[in-house]
Amino acid sequence: MRTHTKNPFAFSTLALALSATATLTGPAYAQSEQLVLEEVIVTAQKREQSLQDVPISVTAFTADVIDRAGITDFADYAMKTPNLGFQQRGNRAETKFSIRGITNIGGQANSVGMYVDEVSVTPNVITTGQSRTADLSLLDIERIEVLRGPQGTLYGRNATGGAIKYQTTRPDTGANTLDLYATAGNYSRFDLKAVGNLAIGNSTALRGSIMSKNRDGVFEAWSDGSDINEWNSTAARLALQHEFAGGWLFYAAVDYVKDKSEPVPTSIPEGFDRDNDIYTLDPAEGLDCSIPAFADWSGCWEDYSSTMETTGFTMDITGPIGDYYTFKSITGYRELEDDLDSNFGIFNYQQQTDQDQFSQEFTLESAYDGPINFIGGLYYFKEDANLDFLFALQQTLHIKTDAWAVFGEARWDITDNWRVIGGIRYTDEEKDFVGQNVTLAAVPGFSFTDKSSFDDTNYRLALQWSVTQDVMLYTSYATGFKSGGYSSDCFGPVPACFNPVDPESVKTWEVGMRSEFINNRLRLNITYFDNTYEDLQLGGSTPQGF
């Protein structure tokens, strides 16, 4: 299938960008008796640059903006970012993002990549395609960057819509601090957060943070008036940084999240709820919940629960090689377990997930004195996921993924005002899949085993023109790749059972302006884009299932 986004979609983005970038750029400071906007530094192109020099559509939130705007979870920054949408299904830890209208609504992989300290934290679990990072990503955060458009060259597969990057605060070798925060609100909300930094000598530092969030539920069960959808989550991170002689830097961090927040009940169709009020879960008029056939219907069933645990490890080793090169190694490992009991429409939905993933990236960046520089790298990713769920019928899935990539991007300063950027990435991926409808396992055609492989080459070309010191224009053309896979369910026999899904690709053309006016007191950033998708992955229902 092929869809082509045209001007109305792009123009709506333009209006949003105009309204947002002028108000979320950060604090102003006195300079020569004038107020000026803070320079925002981002790493959208895997190197530190001023936001105004990056030929990509980026919204960035600095630590100061995060604090002043009261950003504490996904929803807070999503509502302040042009073209970034979100949906929460299950509990707050399961958030589905969309960028420029493209979301994780079909297939197996994600359309929006999420990264903490350059490590992917979004599992590719088959049915959900959702981020289960809970609020850890917003614990002791230094910067949030939202990159719109396909990021296939530098960030690889499964970022066709864009990428969301979180940069945590690194340990400081020059400070010994302890900060405590508390928040109270209605529905018995009470949050606590502590952040501490300990300098150990002149070259080593530890930094730790811990957070707890609690709140009563806002939905009411029909039987006894009890609350549903309470918050109950804890998160912690411990990081170590050491500076070696010769400019080499070692960083390692471990993190842990446990979220027992109850799910958000999904909307109930009119006629299946007594008063059609989504905040009171009542059975339909005349429905007898004592009848076993109706015991799991929304309004009768009330055992909402969810437990999610994630553990992660990150290691970053960075240092110079000679006078002109910087080497970086980023290692990541994550584990996820969750147990969800919720509803989907009028029926009960249960899900258990056990997933682990490992990633390794090596990059080499040049710093020549001449007009041409580059960054190149190798990437490896391995994932093992098991998913069991019950929705009318019990089903189980197991998938293994192995992927590797080689990539590079070069920039050429043609003159002081003109620059060309070109990048390319080759990705190779293999999947092993085993799925079974447990309820109908004895019936032929309700089990499916398969192997699949995908490869793709993504590229990006950008032309950048610095019209003046304060105005930059650019145009770019980029491609992206979303992995293929399998549909999530088996309600009918093969070939309707766990249907294979083709890879998705996107081609994007962009034109943008980055500008500052009135002596750096007004910042205006505008972007026009046009997306063309091939084999767009969408969720839908058939007589055999979804």
Side-chain angles (χ1 to χ4, degrees):
M1 180 171 60
R2 182 180 179 92
T3 64
H4 195 182
T5 59
K6 283 294 188 180
N7 293 0
F9 191 51
F11 282 130
S12 65
T13 302
L14 178 61
L16 287 170
L18 283 168
S19 64
T21 54
T23 57
L24 293 175
T25 49
Y29 296 95
Q31 179 179 336
S32 302
E33 300 181 353
Q34 290 184 345
L35 295 176
V36 298
L37 292 170
E38 173 192 21
E39 182 182 26
V40 179
I41 302 299
V42 298
T43 56
Q45 298 187 110
K46 289 190 177 289
R47 57 191 178 93
E48 290 190 351
Q49 291 177 279
S50 170
L51 175 66
Q52 299 304 100
D53 294 334
V54 178
I56 298 174
S57 181
V58 181
T59 295
F61 300 85
T62 63
D64 187 78
V65 171
I66 293 170
D67 181 62
R68 289 188 298 111
I71 296 174
T72 61
D73 60 23
F74 297 133
D76 291 333
Y77 73 78
M79 290 187 291
K80 296 176 173 64
T81 303
N83 296 137
L84 176 63
F86 75 100
Q87 179 186 34
Q88 291 177 331
R89 172 182 173 270
N91 60 24
R92 294 180 309 121
E94 295 191 356
T95 303
K96 183 183 297 184
F97 286 99
S98 67
I99 294 181
R100 293 179 173 174
I102 299 302
T103 186
N104 310 320
I105 55 178
Q108 174 184 332
N110 300 287
S111 299
V112 178
M114 296 186 67
Y115 306 85
V116 176
D117 293 336
E118 302 293 333
V119 173
S120 173
V121 297
T122 312
N124 296 321
V125 176
I126 297 170
T127 61
T128 61
Q130 295 169 358
S131 162
R132 290 185 178 85
T133 57
D135 292 317
L136 175 67
S137 301
L138 306 186
L139 176 61
D140 194 23
I141 202 75
E142 181 179 273
R143 187 176 63 253
I144 303 172
E145 300 176 26
V146 180
L147 286 58
R148 289 176 287 271
Q151 306 299 319
T153 302
L154 292 179
Y155 295 92
R157 50 195 271 285
N158 306 338
T160 51
I164 302 174
K165 298 180 57 177
Y166 305 93
Q167 180 65 52
T168 63
T169 305
R170 292 294 180 95
D172 186 351
T173 57
N176 292 295
T177 59
L178 177 63
D179 297 308
L180 302 174
Y181 307 86
T183 301
N186 59 345
Y187 292 98
S188 303
R189 178 178 175 179
F190 189 65
D191 305 342
L192 283 174
K193 184 171 74 171
V195 180
N197 191 96
L198 175 64
I200 306 173
N202 297 323
S203 58
T204 307
L206 281 171
R207 189 175 184 90
S209 50
I210 188 168
M211 174 182 67
S212 172
K213 284 191 172 187
N214 294 274
R215 192 209 66 186
D216 289 344
V218 298
F219 298 87
E220 186 177 298
W222 74 278
S223 58
D224 56 5
S226 61
D227 294 332
I228 299 174
N229 182 229
E230 68 174 20
W231 293 357
N232 182 355
S233 62
T234 57
R237 178 189 291 118
L238 180 64
L240 168 70
Q241 183 160 290
H242 179 75
E243 301 172 5
F244 291 95
W248 284 81
L249 191 69
F250 172 84
Y251 170 81
V254 292
D255 59 71
Y256 174 78
V257 173
K258 185 171 185 178
D259 194 326
K260 298 182 68 176
S261 302
E262 292 176 340
V264 179
T266 60
S267 299
I268 301 173
E270 186 174 354
F272 289 92
D273 184 77
R274 191 183 307 272
D275 56 6
N276 293 318
D277 182 351
I278 65 171
Y279 291 100
T280 59
L281 305 182
D282 305 304
E285 190 71 37
L287 182 66
D288 186 352
C289 291
S290 64
I291 299 176
F294 300 117
D296 284 346
W297 282 37
S298 295
C300 290
W301 175 78
E302 59 191 51
D303 296 326
Y304 287 83
S305 66
S306 176
T307 299
M308 182 212 68
E309 289 186 87
T310 62
T311 305
F313 170 77
T314 302
M315 182 173 66
D316 183 338
I317 301 174
T318 306
I321 298 179
D323 296 330
Y324 299 108
Y325 303 99
T326 298
F327 171 83
K328 180 183 284 287
S329 168
I330 300 176
T331 307
Y333 177 78
R334 303 196 67 81
E335 293 182 350
L336 160 72
E337 292 183 0
D338 81 335
D339 191 340
L340 174 67
D341 212 338
S342 186
N343 75 301
F344 189 81
I346 64 172
F347 295 109
N348 174 222
Y349 178 85
Q350 299 176 26
Q351 173 182 302
Q352 291 181 326
T353 308
D354 185 359
Q355 181 261 358
D356 61 78
Q357 65 182 59
F358 169 82
S359 63
Q360 176 65 58
E361 182 177 84
F362 299 111
T363 60
L364 185 69
E365 182 181 2
S366 71
Y368 300 135
D369 296 330
I372 298 177
N373 278 286
F374 70 89
I375 182 172
L378 299 170
Y379 180 78
Y380 175 74
F381 176 86
K382 182 180 180 67
E383 180 185 48
D384 193 331
N386 291 279
L387 176 68
D388 296 295
F389 72 95
L390 173 64
F391 178 59
L393 302 174
Q394 182 182 357
Q395 304 182 47
T396 181
L397 308 97
H398 179 211
I399 189 162
K400 291 184 177 181
T401 302
D402 280 276
W404 64 271
V406 57
F407 63 93
E409 185 171 275
R411 59 189 185 276
W412 175 26
D413 295 328
I414 304 172
T415 68
D416 291 340
N417 297 329
W418 289 88
R419 170 180 292 175
V420 173
I421 299 173
I424 191 169
R425 185 186 191 105
Y426 175 78
T427 301
D428 186 277
E429 179 175 331
E430 293 185 354
K431 294 181 185 293
D432 293 334
F433 177 87
V434 178
Q436 183 181 63
N437 184 319
V438 179
T439 306
L440 302 175
V443 180
F446 283 88
S447 298
F448 184 70
T449 300
D450 194 29
K451 277 190 173 185
S452 57
S453 60
F454 312 98
D455 63 87
D456 197 73
T457 301
N458 297 135
Y459 53 89
R460 173 175 175 252
L461 183 64
L463 178 63
Q464 185 175 340
W465 177 31
S466 298
V467 184
T468 68
Q469 185 176 353
D470 299 321
V471 178
M472 184 269 283
L473 302 177
Y474 77 92
T475 183
S476 66
Y477 185 81
T479 65
F481 161 68
K482 178 176 175 178
S483 299
Y486 304 88
S487 62
S488 60
D489 50 55
C490 181
F491 289 100
V494 174
C497 181
F498 304 119
N499 272 323
V501 178
D502 289 336
E504 172 186 302
S505 63
V506 61
K507 300 175 182 178
T508 296
W509 175 57
E510 248 182 52
V511 178
M513 179 180 75
R514 306 291 175 259
S515 59
E516 292 179 337
F517 301 101
I518 318 176
N519 295 323
N520 293 348
R521 283 179 287 177
L522 173 65
R523 184 169 293 159
L524 180 63
N525 294 342
I526 304 172
T527 304
Y528 169 94
F529 71 89
D530 185 281
N531 289 344
T532 300
Y533 282 86
E534 293 185 5
D535 298 316
L536 182 64
Q537 297 177 8
L538 296 172
S541 61
T542 69
Q544 291 79 25
F546 299 95

